[in-house]
């Protein structure tokens, strides 16, 4: 595949959506074709599943059901959108990917890591992001940025849940230092975007050497 796959990760309100737009503009100004997408979602099927996952329900999904839904949506997303775009030279910028499953279903809900490893192996044995920007901020800071919004089913979890999600993200970042770049999202947006620009330049330089 000729394009590059960039993912953004972090807990609620750290600035993933805001910085997805920034990355799109940065890459387009560097002459790249860019496709922005998100998980769960990115296809009609995935967006339907997203609604089921995030809406208030009068029943509770089991942890494994929730995880399987994430991977079902992801499988369709990869085959229908991500792989074709990468083959067509696009820079694919995705708001969350499998690192979110390790963080939320693993760290947050307590699903064993090897279950997620297995599903990942089934769904995308040959696809890994080229660059993951992990926006890191303490739960209290990121939640203060979205306190006025209507909360989805995850955002109603308590701060302890998000502490575990954040710890799991940090653990993954330490395991995959070549791919996951930690950006301090408690800084001003200008500083955050300066850091992101640095990592994007490194990726573009690396690609121009190939
Ligand atoms: N999920 C997802 C799983 O459980 N498993 C999975 O495998 C996957 C893929 C999806 C939910 O699904 C779960 C995780 C999630 O709970 P979502 O809508 O994609 O939900 O994600 P959210 O995190 O809920 O999205 P948010 O919109 O809440 O957060 P963002 O995108 O991180 O934040 P953003 O960009 O909207 O910014 C929030 C506010 O902060 C300001 C922005 O202007 C905005 O007002 N801001 C800053 N302010 C000051 N300084 C900065 N540095 C700022 N950066 C942004």
């Amino acid at each position: 595949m000729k394009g590059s796959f960039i993912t953004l990760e972090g807990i609620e309100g750290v600035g993933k959506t805001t910085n997805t737009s920034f990355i799109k503009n940065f890459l387009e100004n560097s002459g790249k074709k860019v496709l922005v997408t998100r998980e769960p979602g990115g296809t009609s099927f995935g967006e339907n599943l997203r609604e089921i996952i995030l809406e208030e329900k009068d029943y509770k999904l089991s942890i494994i059901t929730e995880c399987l839904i994430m991977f079902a949506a992801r499988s369709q997303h990869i085959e229908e959108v991500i792989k074709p775009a990468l083959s067509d030279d696009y820079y694919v910028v995705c708001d969350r990917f499998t690192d979110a499953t390790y963080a939320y279903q693993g760290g947050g809900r307590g699903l064993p890591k090897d279950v997620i490893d297995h599903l990942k192996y089934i769904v995308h044995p040959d696809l890994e992001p080229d660059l993951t920007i992990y926006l890191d901020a303490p739960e209290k800071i990121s939640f203060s940025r979205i306190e006025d919004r209507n909360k989805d089913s995850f955002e109603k979890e308590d701060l302890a849940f998000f502490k575990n999600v954040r710890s799991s993200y940090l653990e993954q970042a330490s395991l995959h230092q070549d791919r996951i770049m930690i950006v301090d999202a408690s800084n001003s947006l200008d500083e955050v975007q300066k850091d992101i620009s640095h990592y994007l330049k490194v990726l573009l330089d690396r690609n121009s050497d190939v």
Side-chain angles (χ1 to χ4, degrees):
M1 293 194 220
K2 296 175 282 173
S4 276
F5 186 29
I6 300 169
T7 58
L8 278 101
E9 297 284 357
I11 61 171
E12 274 60 10
V14 282
K16 295 176 300 300
T17 310
T18 309
N19 288 301
T20 296
S21 306
F22 171 78
I23 292 174
K24 178 178 191 290
N25 291 337
F26 184 100
L27 292 171
E28 283 179 346
N29 289 337
S30 306
K32 304 298 175 193
K33 297 194 285 185
V34 182
L35 178 95
V36 169
T37 186
R38 68 173 181 180
E39 291 208 348
T43 63
S44 301
F45 174 70
E47 292 295 328
N48 288 340
L49 292 182
R50 179 186 177 93
E51 270 181 41
I52 293 173
I53 292 168
L54 298 186
E55 74 188 3
E56 266 308 300
K57 296 173 272 295
D58 53 8
Y59 57 89
K60 199 166 159 38
L61 291 175
S62 77
I63 301 172
I64 186 71
T65 303
E66 185 178 88
C67 186
L68 289 169
I69 292 175
M70 295 299 175
F71 272 106
R74 181 164 301 136
S75 176
Q76 188 66 21
H77 191 202
I78 290 168
E79 296 310 319
E80 194 180 315
V81 175
I82 298 176
K83 279 188 174 173
L86 290 173
S87 297
D88 197 19
D89 235 355
Y90 273 83
Y91 277 61
V92 176
V93 182
C94 190
D95 189 339
R96 297 188 185 281
F97 193 61
T98 301
D99 291 314
T101 313
Y102 283 103
Y104 283 78
Q105 281 64 52
R109 304 270 196 240
L111 197 64
K113 183 177 174 293
D114 62 335
V115 174
I116 303 172
D117 288 341
H118 269 84
L119 290 168
K120 177 182 170 189
Y121 180 73
I122 293 166
V123 171
H124 59 97
D126 53 354
L127 178 70
E128 196 72 82
D130 298 292
L131 168 66
T132 297
I133 302 287
Y134 166 58
L135 296 167
D136 182 58
E139 314 72 58
K140 281 191 181 150
I141 294 184
S142 67
F143 269 77
S144 70
R145 294 179 184 163
I146 55 166
E147 62 192 355
D148 297 338
R149 289 192 200 164
N150 286 332
K151 305 265 182 290
D152 65 37
S153 62
F154 280 98
E155 288 162 356
K156 288 182 178 156
E157 294 289 342
D158 58 16
L159 284 182
F161 174 86
F162 290 102
K163 258 192 203 328
N164 290 335
V165 171
R166 184 179 175 215
S167 301
S168 173
Y169 267 132
L170 287 167
E171 196 183 312
Q172 287 173 81
S174 77
L175 287 174
H176 303 285
Q177 292 178 23
D178 53 330
R179 169 176 69 84
I180 303 180
M181 302 299 141
I182 303 177
V183 169
D184 185 348
S186 59
N187 285 335
S188 72
L189 196 53
D190 271 359
E191 286 172 279
V192 167
Q193 294 181 342
K194 212 166 113 193
D195 289 346
I196 293 175
S197 304
H198 167 75
Y199 293 122
L200 292 174
K201 280 182 198 145
V202 171
L203 177 72
L204 290 172
D205 285 349
R206 203 167 74 204
N207 287 352
S208 70
D209 289 342
V210 177

